[in-house]
Amino acid sequence: MSAVNICIIGAGSAVFSLRLVSDICKTKGLHKSKVTLMDIDEGRLEAVHVLASKLAEEMKTDLKFSKTTELEEAVAGSDFVINTALVGGHGFLDRIRTIGEKHGYYRGIDTQEFNMVSDYYTLTNWNQLSFFLKIAETMERLAPEAWMLQAANPVFEGTTLIRRKSKIRMIGFCHGHYDVMEVAETLGVHKDELDWQVAGVNHGIWLNRFRRRGEDLYPLFEKYASKFDASEFRPSNPFNIQMSPATIDMYSFYGLVPIGDTVRNSGWKYHYDQDTLEKWYGSPWGSPDSELGWKWYKEQLGEVTNATLALSKAIEQFPGASLEKLIIEGSKGLSGDFAREAAQLYDRNSMSGEQHIPFIDAIVNGNSARFIVNTLNQGAIKGIDDDVAVEVPAIVDSDGIHIEEIEPALPERVVQWYLKPRILRMEWALEAFNERNPELIIEILLRDPRTKSYEQAKAVVGEIFDSEGEYV
Ligand code: NAD
């Protein structure tokens, strides 16, 4: 059993932090570890500290928790630094989106072809990218041997940026690939029989291998797609779009099934307006990235944040109370997914699905496992530069990360018509950030179908960068 120092930056993101703490509690090999929670919001930090300590106590571990609002204090002496912070918060993203919409950019200027995820800003969120580099630089000084595990978005731009600029050990994680299981389930294939791979870039991954005992399952998907009736598609919530009409349509163009957030990260064909969104992602929401879908998500997040604060107050007032009972009771009014997650916190037979803690266990204790990682390409996907972060399957053990051979290779249609244009947008966004040059953002907008004149692009960029001062 190894004792390691893990710090969580942006720990006030309660759902995420409690999921991670719950995973550590279920990982025997990490039970003696020290966990430092860091956030600039003292109220949220205190709440998570109270709840995490109680959870670990009720799960009978020897975990030690500390909390701080100082980055350096959190990072010093860490073995693993998990970053989940959103600098400026959702409020910043909303302000930028509102300015964009005022100037005729539906859903804001960061909403771009192949990048439609609503809290994944790449053009204007320079504060977030700067913070990524600040963490890396702090690690170089105070924890040079540590691993940085990146959860905060944008994972694609962030992983590429940090790996190009810093020598620290770093990897990005996302959980979108689990939707492979929904594809299999819909076709009646049991997950234990599956032999699968996904490859691409973060939020742009494709099911290149889909087999059962050597049998290619794509003919089965083709049969399903040929009988698919889009008018019958009814999502249970805004995120329930893996088997939406958009997926079937993207499959018919690209020749592979898009997985997870890739279905959202499509072209304008699927995103022009609310009616278009509902056509491809189902009514009433039309994906999480519509006005209605994102409102739904933020309300859920708000309820969870409020519930977390209330729970921590209850535990502070009645330290002998059972947190497990309070959580199960309190989550009854939440949507299915959030309620399931709450119940899972104490279920010893079920991990959260976040990859961070199993990754630490693999590195530290040699408990080798398969992960979907964001790391530099280094030849994994043919036709893509080595210094671009890709999302690919890898085996991780105490010797590090071993990327699997991508077999079969991604088809030209995916590489040329999806990945390369997406990578070019990442390069543009990073160049604008590295030069701190809003002129380049105007150039990007001139290629945007919503731009009707140079003046329009200049005005929106001017207003965003003037009004947000220190943020961008
Ligand atoms: P949130 O705003 O609810 O939480 C982020 C936390 O970061 C807040 O507690 C905030 O106080 C803190 N923070 C802000 N600035 C900070 C700073 N300078 N130092 C330390 N802490 C700081 O946001 P959220 O909805 O939990 O999302 C967090 C991030 O995670 C976003 O970037 C989001 O896109 C990303 N995300 C990633 C995945 C994934 O699988 N990789 C999944 C969901 C969300």
Side-chain angles (χ1 to χ4, degrees), residues 190-214:
H190 196 275
K191 64 177 171 51
D192 295 344
E193 299 178 315
L194 265 191
D195 170 14
W196 63 278
Q197 275 188 341
V198 287
V201 299
N202 181 234
H203 291 178
I205 51 171
W206 299 84
L207 187 59
N208 64 307
R209 187 194 296 172
F210 189 41
R211 295 179 190 148
R212 173 174 51 192
R213 291 188 293 270

mmCIF file of all heavy atoms in Angstrom, residues 190-214:
data_model
loop_
_atom_site.group_PDB
_atom_site.id
_atom_site.type_symbol
_atom_site.label_atom_id
_atom_site.label_comp_id
_atom_site.label_asym_id
_atom_site.label_seq_id
_atom_site.Cartn_x
_atom_site.Cartn_y
_atom_site.Cartn_z
ATOM 1 N N HIS A 190 -23.368 -7.455 -25.521
ATOM 2 C CA HIS A 190 -22.966 -7.297 -24.125
ATOM 3 C C HIS A 190 -21.580 -6.680 -24.050
ATOM 4 O O HIS A 190 -20.682 -7.052 -24.803
ATOM 5 C CB HIS A 190 -22.978 -8.649 -23.401
ATOM 6 C CG HIS A 190 -22.942 -8.487 -21.918
ATOM 7 N ND1 HIS A 190 -21.765 -8.330 -21.228
ATOM 8 C CD2 HIS A 190 -23.940 -8.409 -21.003
ATOM 9 C CE1 HIS A 190 -22.042 -8.176 -19.939
ATOM 10 N NE2 HIS A 190 -23.346 -8.224 -19.769
ATOM 11 N N LYS A 191 -21.402 -5.745 -23.105
ATOM 12 C CA LYS A 191 -20.133 -5.007 -23.052
ATOM 13 C C LYS A 191 -18.924 -5.918 -22.808
ATOM 14 O O LYS A 191 -17.835 -5.636 -23.292
ATOM 15 C CB LYS A 191 -20.193 -3.874 -22.037
ATOM 16 C CG LYS A 191 -20.364 -4.245 -20.602
ATOM 17 C CD LYS A 191 -20.324 -2.955 -19.784
ATOM 18 C CE LYS A 191 -20.664 -3.052 -18.400
ATOM 19 N NZ LYS A 191 -20.409 -3.698 -17.326
ATOM 20 N N ASP A 192 -19.134 -7.035 -22.093
ATOM 21 C CA ASP A 192 -18.000 -7.931 -21.817
ATOM 22 C C ASP A 192 -17.487 -8.621 -23.080
ATOM 23 O O ASP A 192 -16.381 -9.165 -23.100
ATOM 24 C CB ASP A 192 -18.399 -8.990 -20.780
ATOM 25 C CG ASP A 192 -18.703 -8.345 -19.438
ATOM 26 O OD1 ASP A 192 -18.310 -7.170 -19.261
ATOM 27 O OD2 ASP A 192 -19.344 -8.990 -18.589
ATOM 28 N N GLU A 193 -18.321 -8.668 -24.122
ATOM 29 C CA GLU A 193 -17.897 -9.345 -25.357
ATOM 30 C C GLU A 193 -17.218 -8.395 -26.343
ATOM 31 O O GLU A 193 -16.724 -8.814 -27.377
ATOM 32 C CB GLU A 193 -19.131 -9.915 -26.069
ATOM 33 C CG GLU A 193 -19.893 -10.948 -25.266
ATOM 34 C CD GLU A 193 -21.122 -11.409 -26.033
ATOM 35 O OE1 GLU A 193 -21.841 -10.539 -26.581
ATOM 36 O OE2 GLU A 193 -21.349 -12.624 -26.091
ATOM 37 N N LEU A 194 -17.245 -7.131 -26.000
ATOM 38 C CA LEU A 194 -16.774 -6.114 -26.961
ATOM 39 C C LEU A 194 -15.255 -6.033 -27.050
ATOM 40 O O LEU A 194 -14.557 -6.092 -26.045
ATOM 41 C CB LEU A 194 -17.239 -4.739 -26.516
ATOM 42 C CG LEU A 194 -18.518 -4.150 -27.074
ATOM 43 C CD1 LEU A 194 -18.585 -2.687 -26.674
ATOM 44 C CD2 LEU A 194 -18.584 -4.277 -28.585
ATOM 45 N N ASP A 195 -14.767 -5.841 -28.259
ATOM 46 C CA ASP A 195 -13.367 -5.485 -28.492
ATOM 47 C C ASP A 195 -13.448 -4.149 -29.230
ATOM 48 O O ASP A 195 -13.871 -4.101 -30.385
ATOM 49 C CB ASP A 195 -12.715 -6.576 -29.358
ATOM 50 C CG ASP A 195 -11.339 -6.160 -29.859
ATOM 51 O OD1 ASP A 195 -10.784 -5.174 -29.338
ATOM 52 O OD2 ASP A 195 -10.829 -6.827 -30.789
ATOM 53 N N TRP A 196 -13.114 -3.055 -28.526
ATOM 54 C CA TRP A 196 -13.346 -1.726 -29.119
ATOM 55 C C TRP A 196 -12.158 -0.801 -28.950
ATOM 56 O O TRP A 196 -11.344 -0.968 -28.035
ATOM 57 C CB TRP A 196 -14.587 -1.068 -28.501
ATOM 58 C CG TRP A 196 -14.450 -0.805 -27.022
ATOM 59 C CD1 TRP A 196 -14.656 -1.704 -26.021
ATOM 60 C CD2 TRP A 196 -14.047 0.414 -26.377
ATOM 61 N NE1 TRP A 196 -14.418 -1.120 -24.791
ATOM 62 C CE2 TRP A 196 -14.046 0.184 -24.977
ATOM 63 C CE3 TRP A 196 -13.695 1.680 -26.842
ATOM 64 C CZ2 TRP A 196 -13.702 1.163 -24.046
ATOM 65 C CZ3 TRP A 196 -13.347 2.668 -25.911
ATOM 66 C CH2 TRP A 196 -13.363 2.393 -24.535
ATOM 67 N N GLN A 197 -12.093 0.151 -29.843
ATOM 68 C CA GLN A 197 -11.134 1.254 -29.720
ATOM 69 C C GLN A 197 -11.827 2.529 -30.173
ATOM 70 O O GLN A 197 -12.705 2.474 -31.041
ATOM 71 C CB GLN A 197 -9.932 1.053 -30.652
ATOM 72 C CG GLN A 197 -8.832 0.215 -30.116
ATOM 73 C CD GLN A 197 -7.597 0.241 -31.021
ATOM 74 O OE1 GLN A 197 -7.668 0.587 -32.196
ATOM 75 N NE2 GLN A 197 -6.467 -0.135 -30.457
ATOM 76 N N VAL A 198 -11.420 3.646 -29.574
ATOM 77 C CA VAL A 198 -11.793 4.951 -30.120
ATOM 78 C C VAL A 198 -10.495 5.716 -30.351
ATOM 79 O O VAL A 198 -9.505 5.496 -29.649
ATOM 80 C CB VAL A 198 -12.698 5.773 -29.178
ATOM 81 C CG1 VAL A 198 -14.104 5.214 -29.118
ATOM 82 C CG2 VAL A 198 -12.103 5.893 -27.778
ATOM 83 N N ALA A 199 -10.515 6.623 -31.324
ATOM 84 C CA ALA A 199 -9.322 7.450 -31.573
ATOM 85 C C ALA A 199 -9.755 8.762 -32.185
ATOM 86 O O ALA A 199 -10.788 8.846 -32.851
ATOM 87 C CB ALA A 199 -8.360 6.720 -32.510
ATOM 88 N N GLY A 200 -8.955 9.806 -31.905
ATOM 89 C CA GLY A 200 -9.240 11.139 -32.430
ATOM 90 C C GLY A 200 -8.609 12.162 -31.523
ATOM 91 O O GLY A 200 -7.498 11.963 -31.017
ATOM 92 N N VAL A 201 -9.331 13.276 -31.316
ATOM 93 C CA VAL A 201 -8.883 14.276 -30.349
ATOM 94 C C VAL A 201 -10.009 14.447 -29.339
ATOM 95 O O VAL A 201 -11.125 13.980 -29.576
ATOM 96 C CB VAL A 201 -8.543 15.624 -31.031
ATOM 97 C CG1 VAL A 201 -7.409 15.450 -32.029
ATOM 98 C CG2 VAL A 201 -9.770 16.240 -31.700
ATOM 99 N N ASN A 202 -9.742 15.126 -28.216
ATOM 100 C CA ASN A 202 -10.759 15.256 -27.188
ATOM 101 C C ASN A 202 -12.048 15.845 -27.770
ATOM 102 O O ASN A 202 -12.023 16.841 -28.490
ATOM 103 C CB ASN A 202 -10.246 16.133 -26.042
ATOM 104 C CG ASN A 202 -11.277 16.273 -24.931
ATOM 105 O OD1 ASN A 202 -11.623 17.383 -24.539
ATOM 106 N ND2 ASN A 202 -11.786 15.179 -24.449
ATOM 107 N N HIS A 203 -13.171 15.216 -27.459
ATOM 108 C CA HIS A 203 -14.488 15.603 -27.975
ATOM 109 C C HIS A 203 -14.580 15.417 -29.487
ATOM 110 O O HIS A 203 -15.448 16.018 -30.128
ATOM 111 C CB HIS A 203 -14.847 17.045 -27.603
ATOM 112 C CG HIS A 203 -15.098 17.244 -26.138
ATOM 113 N ND1 HIS A 203 -15.400 18.464 -25.586
ATOM 114 C CD2 HIS A 203 -15.084 16.378 -25.102
ATOM 115 C CE1 HIS A 203 -15.564 18.348 -24.283
ATOM 116 N NE2 HIS A 203 -15.365 17.089 -23.957
ATOM 117 N N GLY A 204 -13.667 14.638 -30.030
ATOM 118 C CA GLY A 204 -13.710 14.336 -31.459
ATOM 119 C C GLY A 204 -13.168 12.920 -31.663
ATOM 120 O O GLY A 204 -12.150 12.734 -32.323
ATOM 121 N N ILE A 205 -13.823 11.930 -31.027
ATOM 122 C CA ILE A 205 -13.317 10.545 -31.088
ATOM 123 C C ILE A 205 -14.282 9.653 -31.865
ATOM 124 O O ILE A 205 -15.492 9.833 -31.840
ATOM 125 C CB ILE A 205 -13.055 9.954 -29.679
ATOM 126 C CG1 ILE A 205 -14.262 10.133 -28.745
ATOM 127 C CG2 ILE A 205 -11.784 10.535 -29.078
ATOM 128 C CD1 ILE A 205 -14.130 9.379 -27.422
ATOM 129 N N TRP A 206 -13.710 8.659 -32.524
ATOM 130 C CA TRP A 206 -14.442 7.832 -33.474
ATOM 131 C C TRP A 206 -14.210 6.356 -33.168
ATOM 132 O O TRP A 206 -13.091 5.947 -32.857
ATOM 133 C CB TRP A 206 -13.966 8.169 -34.897
ATOM 134 C CG TRP A 206 -14.228 9.614 -35.212
ATOM 135 C CD1 TRP A 206 -13.428 10.675 -34.890
ATOM 136 C CD2 TRP A 206 -15.392 10.154 -35.829
ATOM 137 N NE1 TRP A 206 -14.020 11.850 -35.279
ATOM 138 C CE2 TRP A 206 -15.227 11.561 -35.872
ATOM 139 C CE3 TRP A 206 -16.555 9.596 -36.375
ATOM 140 C CZ2 TRP A 206 -16.188 12.415 -36.418
ATOM 141 C CZ3 TRP A 206 -17.499 10.441 -36.924
ATOM 142 C CH2 TRP A 206 -17.317 11.824 -36.949
ATOM 143 N N LEU A 207 -15.275 5.581 -33.314
ATOM 144 C CA LEU A 207 -15.225 4.140 -32.984
ATOM 145 C C LEU A 207 -14.552 3.393 -34.136
ATOM 146 O O LEU A 207 -15.210 2.881 -35.029
ATOM 147 C CB LEU A 207 -16.663 3.646 -32.765
ATOM 148 C CG LEU A 207 -16.886 2.228 -32.262
ATOM 149 C CD1 LEU A 207 -16.206 1.994 -30.916
ATOM 150 C CD2 LEU A 207 -18.380 1.937 -32.156
ATOM 151 N N ASN A 208 -13.211 3.365 -34.103
ATOM 152 C CA ASN A 208 -12.504 2.741 -35.230
ATOM 153 C C ASN A 208 -12.548 1.222 -35.163
ATOM 154 O O ASN A 208 -12.540 0.547 -36.172
ATOM 155 C CB ASN A 208 -11.047 3.223 -35.298
ATOM 156 C CG ASN A 208 -10.252 2.800 -34.090
ATOM 157 O OD1 ASN A 208 -10.667 3.054 -32.962
ATOM 158 N ND2 ASN A 208 -9.120 2.152 -34.290
ATOM 159 N N ARG A 209 -12.596 0.663 -33.924
ATOM 160 C CA ARG A 209 -12.692 -0.802 -33.793
ATOM 161 C C ARG A 209 -13.952 -1.152 -33.005
ATOM 162 O O ARG A 209 -14.184 -0.624 -31.914
ATOM 163 C CB ARG A 209 -11.477 -1.369 -33.067
ATOM 164 C CG ARG A 209 -11.484 -2.912 -33.076
ATOM 165 C CD ARG A 209 -10.490 -3.471 -32.087
ATOM 166 N NE ARG A 209 -9.132 -3.130 -32.442
ATOM 167 C CZ ARG A 209 -8.090 -3.363 -31.647
ATOM 168 N NH1 ARG A 209 -8.280 -3.965 -30.468
ATOM 169 N NH2 ARG A 209 -6.887 -3.013 -32.009
ATOM 170 N N PHE A 210 -14.752 -2.064 -33.592
ATOM 171 C CA PHE A 210 -16.032 -2.430 -32.967
ATOM 172 C C PHE A 210 -16.272 -3.901 -33.317
ATOM 173 O O PHE A 210 -16.817 -4.225 -34.368
ATOM 174 C CB PHE A 210 -17.129 -1.518 -33.563
ATOM 175 C CG PHE A 210 -18.458 -1.600 -32.881
ATOM 176 C CD1 PHE A 210 -18.583 -1.676 -31.498
ATOM 177 C CD2 PHE A 210 -19.636 -1.561 -33.641
ATOM 178 C CE1 PHE A 210 -19.828 -1.725 -30.885
ATOM 179 C CE2 PHE A 210 -20.879 -1.604 -33.045
ATOM 180 C CZ PHE A 210 -20.968 -1.686 -31.667
ATOM 181 N N ARG A 211 -15.763 -4.772 -32.442
ATOM 182 C CA ARG A 211 -15.774 -6.204 -32.761
ATOM 183 C C ARG A 211 -16.290 -7.037 -31.593
ATOM 184 O O ARG A 211 -16.227 -6.607 -30.441
ATOM 185 C CB ARG A 211 -14.357 -6.695 -33.079
ATOM 186 C CG ARG A 211 -13.767 -6.079 -34.306
ATOM 187 C CD ARG A 211 -12.349 -6.607 -34.529
ATOM 188 N NE ARG A 211 -11.690 -5.846 -35.577
ATOM 189 C CZ ARG A 211 -10.384 -5.594 -35.631
ATOM 190 N NH1 ARG A 211 -9.579 -6.053 -34.684
ATOM 191 N NH2 ARG A 211 -9.875 -4.908 -36.626
ATOM 192 N N ARG A 212 -16.762 -8.246 -31.936
ATOM 193 C CA ARG A 212 -17.143 -9.224 -30.908
ATOM 194 C C ARG A 212 -16.504 -10.552 -31.315
ATOM 195 O O ARG A 212 -16.808 -11.079 -32.370
ATOM 196 C CB ARG A 212 -18.673 -9.369 -30.853
ATOM 197 C CG ARG A 212 -19.144 -10.484 -29.949
ATOM 198 C CD ARG A 212 -20.656 -10.500 -29.810
ATOM 199 N NE ARG A 212 -21.351 -10.486 -31.095
ATOM 200 C CZ ARG A 212 -22.656 -10.273 -31.244
ATOM 201 N NH1 ARG A 212 -23.416 -10.065 -30.193
ATOM 202 N NH2 ARG A 212 -23.220 -10.282 -32.441
ATOM 203 N N ARG A 213 -15.601 -11.040 -30.495
ATOM 204 C CA ARG A 213 -14.861 -12.284 -30.786
ATOM 205 C C ARG A 213 -14.378 -12.323 -32.245
ATOM 206 O O ARG A 213 -14.676 -13.267 -32.990
ATOM 207 C CB ARG A 213 -15.735 -13.503 -30.477
ATOM 208 C CG ARG A 213 -15.998 -13.701 -28.980
ATOM 209 C CD ARG A 213 -16.708 -15.008 -28.701
ATOM 210 N NE ARG A 213 -18.050 -15.004 -29.245
ATOM 211 C CZ ARG A 213 -19.124 -14.588 -28.585
ATOM 212 N NH1 ARG A 213 -19.009 -14.166 -27.353
ATOM 213 N NH2 ARG A 213 -20.315 -14.628 -29.146
ATOM 214 N N GLY A 214 -13.723 -11.274 -32.663
ATOM 215 C CA GLY A 214 -13.153 -11.244 -34.015
ATOM 216 C C GLY A 214 -14.135 -10.824 -35.100
ATOM 217 O O GLY A 214 -13.742 -10.516 -36.221
#
